[in-house]
Amino acid sequence: MSYVTRLGRLARLSPLPLFLAALAPTPASAYTDGGDHLTVTVRDAGNGADGTFEVDCHPSRGTHPDLAGACAVLERNTRWGKDTFAPVPEGSLCTMLYGGPATAHVTGTWAGRPVDTRFDRSDGCDIARWDRFVPLLPSMDT
């Protein structure tokens, strides 16, 4: 057996490709057969952004003004074994920056898991969490 053949066989048996694959985001479509459905209710955002919007992904459909963008940002934020919508961890050091009165409530199913989470812009950490989900949530940039 040649050196190149042995090297190729060794590479196929190595756990490194599995390790690298585990680091990559897993598409949310891999978690569910029937697709995902979220209801997003936005309040006090202004500029016509308030309302209740339906978002279905895989395939994209619903009443959200940017379905493709909403599904894409959900995909980018989904990691195997992690709560996509996790709140800011207790004890986080956050800037005392107020981002306005906007709130959002997201319910439904994403990546095969139930979702019932709230967003606000009460400090720097919550602003960053909100911004991570734009355009599912409206951009508050002025």
Side-chain angles (χ1 to χ4, degrees), residues 43-135:
R43 299 280 181 251
D44 301 319
N47 296 325
D50 291 356
T52 299
F53 309 99
E54 302 297 322
V55 177
D56 288 308
C57 297
H58 321 113
S60 297
R61 63 180 179 264
T63 59
H64 193 281
D66 183 0
L67 282 170
C71 289
V73 78
L74 286 164
E75 290 279 353
R76 278 194 307 273
N77 281 294
T78 301
R79 300 287 183 274
W80 177 257
K82 303 286 184 182
D83 180 0
T84 303
F85 298 96
V88 174
E90 282 288 321
S92 295
L93 297 176
C94 304
T95 60
M96 297 302 292
L97 181 67
Y98 179 66
T103 61
H105 185 204
V106 180
T107 59
T109 303
W110 180 253
R113 297 175 129 175
V115 175
D116 186 355
T117 191
R118 296 183 184 278
F119 291 83
D120 64 40
R121 300 177 58 81
S122 59
D123 63 32
C125 294
D126 285 315
I127 292 169
R129 180 175 177 247
W130 179 293
D131 289 348
R132 213 172 41 248
F133 285 92
V134 170

Side-chain angles (χ1 to χ4, degrees), residues 10-29:
L10 180 61
R12 285 192 304 271
L13 298 174
S14 169
L16 184 60
L18 293 174
F19 173 73
L20 293 175
L23 294 178
T26 303
S29 57

Side-chain angles (χ1 to χ4, degrees), residues 1-14 17:
M1 185 179 315
S2 75
Y3 174 75
V4 173
T5 303
R6 277 187 264 157
L7 187 60
R9 185 174 284 168
L10 180 61
R12 285 192 304 271
L13 298 174
S14 169

